[in-house]
Amino acid sequence: MNRHNYSAYSVQDFDHYDCLKISKWVYLSLIFILRGYVVWLMSVTNMKDRVGIIQWIYPETSLFYLSLGSGALGIFIVIVLSLRRPKAKSWVKRSWLHVKGILTLALLFDLIICLVAFFYWHLLSLTWLITQAIIVGGLIIILNSSKKFMINIAEFPEPLPEKKKKVIKLP
């Protein structure tokens, strides 16, 4: 990486492996892709009415299951993101190099599921479909043009040299 790529960032922008912290747009994209799982977790934690939140957000049960299905690639990205550390397995490193493509594919897959739900099963409204297309298009454009995300993909945490501890000998 070129040193000038890091000139816009301060010390707080780096993690404890001296890598640039992951772009917030990645996390926002993952929340969007995994919204079915987020709703499911919210409903599980609601002790009074476990199904009420799901039925309120997804009036048609099929939509909820489709959202879980379309979030499967997002789960894979979360796994790769959580395993991104020094001495990671080779499949994690290879997957990290392709995370931009996988994230773009996950967003497009989510949109395709919604298109099928709209045109084939008539489960979505046109307003929600257009809104989702705008959100997906915007996230794809932002992720593919983000310099910080490009730096994130180019970096992979490496083991840091151990700091020598001073040993004080008492007489």
Side-chain angles (χ1 to χ4, degrees):
M1 265 290 132
N2 189 348
R3 184 187 310 177
H4 298 290
N5 291 340
Y6 297 103
S7 62
Y9 303 105
S10 68
V11 175
Q12 289 82 17
D13 293 323
F14 292 88
D15 61 15
H16 56 279
Y17 297 120
D18 287 340
C19 290
L20 194 61
K21 290 180 182 174
I22 304 296
S23 173
K24 290 180 177 91
W25 290 107
V26 172
Y27 295 116
L28 186 64
S29 299
L30 283 173
I31 289 171
F32 181 75
I33 293 167
L34 298 170
R35 67 190 177 280
Y37 291 95
V38 171
V39 169
W40 176 67
L41 284 174
M42 287 172 34
S43 71
V44 168
T45 57
N46 184 1
M47 296 300 177
K48 292 180 181 176
D49 186 12
R50 293 189 185 262
V51 188
I53 294 174
I54 294 173
Q55 289 176 341
W56 180 62
I57 296 178
Y58 294 103
E60 193 68 36
T61 309
S62 303
L63 282 176
F64 173 68
Y65 293 123
L66 287 172
S67 181
L68 292 178
S70 66
L73 281 172
I75 296 284
F76 177 73
I77 295 169
V78 169
I79 290 169
V80 169
L81 194 59
S82 65
L83 294 175
R84 183 181 172 263
R85 60 179 63 115
K87 299 180 183 176
K89 303 275 185 193
S90 61
W91 70 268
V92 175
K93 292 179 181 180
R94 281 193 311 269
S95 298
W96 182 251
L97 291 174
H98 302 289
V99 76
K100 182 173 70 168
I102 297 169
L103 198 53
T104 302
L105 182 68
L107 286 164
L108 289 174
F109 181 67
D110 186 63
L111 182 61
I112 288 169
I113 292 291
C114 287
L115 284 168
V116 169
F118 177 77
F119 287 112
Y120 187 67
W121 293 307
H122 308 288
L123 295 175
L124 288 175
S125 69
L126 182 62
T127 307
W128 173 243
L129 186 64
I130 292 171
T131 303
Q132 180 157 0
I134 290 170
I135 291 170
V136 166
L139 286 172
I140 289 172
I141 290 170
I142 289 169
L143 286 171
N144 286 308
S145 63
S146 171
K147 291 179 183 178
K148 185 174 184 177
F149 189 45
M150 298 303 162
I151 293 171
N152 290 145
I153 293 170
E155 299 183 312
F156 199 85
E158 297 291 330
L160 295 175
E162 294 291 323
K163 293 182 182 179
K164 293 185 178 182
K165 296 179 182 178
K166 290 185 179 181
V167 178
I168 301 173
K169 294 183 180 180
L170 297 174

